[in-house]
């Protein structure tokens, strides 16, 4: 592969830094000086400087130019990497369109089986309210959203020991809207953000759209998140915002322990880094107590906690929220320029439903059903999967990830299964880099049936055929 | 005021161009050459070149540099101007928040009186459908949106003589979402777009957010849009997209004639410029026939026609659409990254309501009521306004604009009235430049009542006091 001129120049400069000829915090020659001394074009010099900056070897100060970065910082774990320019949208789009085919066994969906959602009491309330014009009145539901609904949400935070006022909450058009608005409010194009190596594709897409630089933090087999790697990368890069999931992680399913959450919160606090906490599965835990969100450990209004009713009541409602705190006005600003408000009738219906004991009752029953269904899926898959495939059981949520044998392609398996009318989510959607282990995510929220069993049979046979083929080659 | 170095340089170069020393299409010195010859810094040279480009004196070609623009082009009408960096959001935000106060006489709202919307038949349908889980099923309502709803919308275009397939339509989360998605799909930061001089603030906000350069086309007393000025500016600037309103313009109320629409469509076609047509008041015409949209004259898939049900059925529904044609997939892309889908229950209810004769019946009655109410407002205001205030009556829509005496401030009047619990929309929201005539927009959709009459009395008294004060000074 031919070397670009900018790589050539970056290489020269890098060796000056590494050999300590250029000491830490020394000012680099200005772009113009470098153009003159090197004979390269301005574009080449700019590209070279930007590459060095991306590698953490130099840093820039506004109006002052570039400076050599501190080399005593810990070497970056190779697993934490600055992702190249992100272009994930096309493949996600193709995937999302493909799983809209009717009569598909929808094991690729991120939503629980709709048969488990939409409790009859909620539908009755919507039906009742729908008769009156007042229920559709937008005025009382404009940003920051329905006051009664915000009070109820605030109350639920308080019950977890997180002091919250109704004015801290902004109602959004679903959870993704909450996450996107938060990222837009907290960043400028070119900023560095941290995503988990394996993460919900919506985060990648948002970063792409806003022109952000993404650094990924690797998973840790026991802790969920590799805290050491996390610390290294925030020492290394001028990170502005992290967008991460700590409870019932999508797609991997893990819930981070209190201890690790505390450590990460401390690091965020020390370095004044904001966290956009995607916690849309917070209510679907497996056990007696709802896991604490990172918001609980937030000392300095650094955490924007985002959640929604899409995974507990119904995906089609499009009502979510963000604990925006002092950023409330900024978020409302962005809303009034885009979606204006979430559906008014639904906001009103949610107020009535959530004010009763019906929500807690529904959640308890939903959690039990999801736990039962996921266990059933797990045991069936464990019995039937080829030995080269691994499968973890994590508490909470309703996903299982099947880890594929080395060199298997999740995309190939997804396509093969799609031809047989079964949708699964391939790891390519969650993992921008192709170097990491491939897997497929299975939605296990469905009640057991012959239909489901047949689909899992096709799945396991496909994986066996693949494993045999790989063994033969 | 001290002159910036970049202005100084721009001034020098401008005179070289104007004196024809630098001929049209001559390449300018490269940035580096200019730095060396002028002694100015790179930043200064870049700023100077960008200023000249913004003035239309030079143009840039990718990878080739800057060139002198053709000077034989018609001189730009001073009324068509490149707007400075737009920062309208804060004032709009303050305005929108201020009019949310309860018990306000809401003459500043852009929505018709909700008492006139939300027909009982539609509410019955929502109420009926709300009982069944199937009505909330998101799968059949994901982008591009509910197929049956898209078919009905396509059919309505066909009835106007615009050949349309269901696949040309994308359902959005309201009309503003349709407009924003279209602008995002068709532009890159730095592109030139055309807005009407007086225009819905949402267009200014979208331009600000996407980092676009705005050129405005002035109004014309008789035609609504000044076609000659429009032609001049598209000859002068590399315009990518126009975002404009042709029917029942917000806030001015005019509907552009067929002849002018045809002329503008021809110009767009000749210069291959896209039009985002904001047509949310299309159904609220005054007369027998619905005015044709610009989409009717579109020969080359250049027009993205955007509309919604917010002004005819209910603001809180948040269901709109765009005639996206070949851009459908691009729009869906952007949706799946942001709002995902419009509310599912509402989409299903609209299908049932629009399939019946109820919608046409509702629209006929709505048009008559709006016409009657607007006339009543007009006659009352005409009788009572001070002579220094002018008021036009335009067919269609439900807005009246009161033109203020010279040197009056629409913002001052808006604030004075707000203190008396009356909201009106000041021209500052629609007119970025303060040089143009000031006005206030009145929403005349309300049925006449003592309450309304008293509010209009306060309004006219306030305007009289202002006029007298101005005469005295």
């Amino acid at each position: 592969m031919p070397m670009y001129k900018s790589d050539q120049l970056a290489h020269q400069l890098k060796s000056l830094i590494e050999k300590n000829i250029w000491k830490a915090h020394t000012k680099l020659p200005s772009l113009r000086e470098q153009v003159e001394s090197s004979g390269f074009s301005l574009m080449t010099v700019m590209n070279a400087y930007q590459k060095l900056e991306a590698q953490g070897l130099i840093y820039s100060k506004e109006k002052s130019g570039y400076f050599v970065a501190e080399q005593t910082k810990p070497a970056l774990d190779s697993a934490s990497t600055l992702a190249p320019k992100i272009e994930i949208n096309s493949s996600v789009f193709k995937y999302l369109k493909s799983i809209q085919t009717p009569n598909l066994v929808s094991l690729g969906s991120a939503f629980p089986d709709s048969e488990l959602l939409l409790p009859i009491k909620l539908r009755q309330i919507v039906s009742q309210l729908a008769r009156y014009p007042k229920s559709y009145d937008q005025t009382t539901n404009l940003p920051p959203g329905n006051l009664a609904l915000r009070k109820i949400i605030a109350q639920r935070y308080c019950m977890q020991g997180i002091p919250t006022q109704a004015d801290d909450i902004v109602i959004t058009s679903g959870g993704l809207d909450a996450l996107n608005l938060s990222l837009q409010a907290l960043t400028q194009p070119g900023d560095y953000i941290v995503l988990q190596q394996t993460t919900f594709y919506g985060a990648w897409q948002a970063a792409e759209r806003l022109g952000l630089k993404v650094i990924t933090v690797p998973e840790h087999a026991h802790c969920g998140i590799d805290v050491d790697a996390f610390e290294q990368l925030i020492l290394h890069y001028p990170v502005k915002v992290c967008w991460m999931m700590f409870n019932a992680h999508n797609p991997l399913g893990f819930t981070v322990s209190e201890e690790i959450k505390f450590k990460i919160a401390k690091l965020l606090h020390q370095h004044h880094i904001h966290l956009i906490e995607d916690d849309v599965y917070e209510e679907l835990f497996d056990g007696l107590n709802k896991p604490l969100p990172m918001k609980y450990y937030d000392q300095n209004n650094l955490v924007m906690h985002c959640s929604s009713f899409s995974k507990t009541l119904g995906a089609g409602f499009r009502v979510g929220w963000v604990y925006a705190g002092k950023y409330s006005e900024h978020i409302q600003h962005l809303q009034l320029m885009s979606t204006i408000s979430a559906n008014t009738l639904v906001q009103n219906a949610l107020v009535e439903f959530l004010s009763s004991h019906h929500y807690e009752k529904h959640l308890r029953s939903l959690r039990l059903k999801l736990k039962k269904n996921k266990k059933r899926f797990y045991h069936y898959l464990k019995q039937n999967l080829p030995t080269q495939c691994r499968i973890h059981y994590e508490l909470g949520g309703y996903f299982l990830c099947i880890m594929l044998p080395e060199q298997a392609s999740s995309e190939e398996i997804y396509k093969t299964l799609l031809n047989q009318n079964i949708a699964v989510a391939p790891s390519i959607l969650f993992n921008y880099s192709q170097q990491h282990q491939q897997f497929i995510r299975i939605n296990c929220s469905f009640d057991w049936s012959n239909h489901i069993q047949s689909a899992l049979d096709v799945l396991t046979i496909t994986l066996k055929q693949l494993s045999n083929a790989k063994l033969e080659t």
Side-chain angles (χ1 to χ4, degrees), chain A residues 180-200:
Chain A
N180 283 330
L181 290 167
S182 302
L183 192 63
Q184 209 184 327
L186 295 175
T187 60
Q188 296 292 327
D191 279 348
Y192 285 84
I193 68 164
V194 169
L195 300 182
Q196 282 155 301
Q197 202 166 70
T198 307
T199 198
F200 167 54

Side-chain angles (χ1 to χ4, degrees), chain A residues 117-119 122 309-315 317 350 353-354 359 362:
Chain A
L117 307 185
L118 300 160
L122 176 57
F309 299 106
S310 303
K311 308 296 194 291
T312 55
L313 293 175
F317 285 132
L350 285 170
F353 181 74
L354 295 168
Y359 189 42
H362 166 72

Side-chain angles (χ1 to χ4, degrees), chain A residues 196-415:
Chain A
Q196 282 155 301
Q197 202 166 70
T198 307
T199 198
F200 167 54
Y201 51 75
W204 286 105
Q205 291 180 307
E208 172 174 343
R209 202 171 19 144
L210 297 173
L212 302 171
K213 292 176 188 149
V214 174
I215 312 154
T216 56
V217 57
E219 279 79 45
H220 185 283
H222 302 296
C223 309
I225 295 167
D226 186 333
V227 187
D228 293 335
F230 181 73
E231 183 168 10
Q232 282 176 36
L233 70 86
I234 61 174
L235 287 172
H236 220 90
Y237 293 101
V239 173
K240 192 100 161 264
V241 175
C242 303
W243 168 330
M244 291 164 88
M245 264 190 126
F246 293 80
N247 297 323
H249 179 269
N250 175 18
L252 296 174
F254 60 77
T255 293
V256 175
S257 72
E258 303 302 299
E259 189 198 337
I260 300 292
K261 281 178 185 161
F262 181 76
K263 277 190 187 169
I264 292 180
K266 208 172 141 193
L267 287 170
L268 293 172
H269 180 67
Q270 279 166 358
H271 297 268
H272 199 81
I273 295 171
H274 281 88
L275 171 67
I276 299 171
E277 183 175 15
D278 177 359
D279 206 11
V280 293
Y281 299 97
E282 60 176 334
E283 298 291 356
L284 304 181
F285 53 90
D286 173 356
L288 286 177
N289 295 314
K290 184 166 155 182
L292 288 169
M294 288 290 288
K295 185 73 209 167
Y296 179 84
Y297 301 98
D298 185 17
Q299 297 168 44
N300 211 5
N301 222 328
L302 290 170
V303 179
M304 309 273 270
H305 183 262
C306 301
S307 193
S308 91
F309 299 106
S310 303
K311 308 296 194 291
T312 55
L313 293 175
F317 285 132
R318 310 308 316 136
V319 176
W321 72 87
V322 51
Y323 186 127
K326 65 179 173 184
Y327 298 100
S328 166
E329 191 164 311
H330 195 152
I331 297 280
Q332 292 176 57
H333 238 90
L334 297 171
Q335 283 185 297
L336 285 169
M337 288 197 267
S338 52
T339 48
I340 304 181
S341 78
N343 186 280
T344 297
L345 173 65
V346 173
Q347 290 193 57
N348 285 317
L350 285 170
V351 169
E352 203 167 318
F353 181 74
L354 295 168
S355 311
S356 70
H357 65 289
H358 296 294
Y359 189 42
E360 281 308 322
K361 210 176 129 190
H362 166 72
L363 286 176
R364 273 198 301 276
S365 134
L366 179 61
R367 282 178 209 124
L368 284 176
K369 283 181 202 158
L370 290 175
K371 181 174 178 172
K372 186 181 134 218
N373 291 347
K374 193 168 74 169
K375 277 204 168 158
R376 185 83 200 247
F377 271 70
Y378 175 69
H379 289 297
Y380 195 82
L381 284 169
K382 205 166 158 63
Q383 271 170 25
N384 294 285
L385 281 177
T387 47
Q388 295 91 333
C389 294
R390 284 180 307 106
I391 183 166
H392 289 295
Y393 187 88
E394 299 273 4
L395 297 176
Y398 43 89
F399 296 135
L400 286 173
C401 285
I402 301 175
M403 301 292 160
L404 302 177
E406 221 174 304
Q407 293 180 317
S409 152
S410 66
E411 210 179 350
E412 192 185 319
I413 291 168
Y414 145 71
K415 283 180 185 163

Side-chain angles (χ1 to χ4, degrees), chain A residues 2 76 98 106 193 413 448:
Chain A
L76 251 202
S98 75
S106 185
I193 68 164
I413 291 168
W448 195 258

Side-chain angles (χ1 to χ4, degrees), chain A residues 431-443:
Chain A
N431 222 323
Y432 186 66
S433 162
Q434 287 299 289
Q435 299 152 14
H436 307 295
Q437 192 182 5
Q438 303 270 304
F439 62 84
I440 52 174
R441 186 194 70 185
I442 310 288
N443 180 327

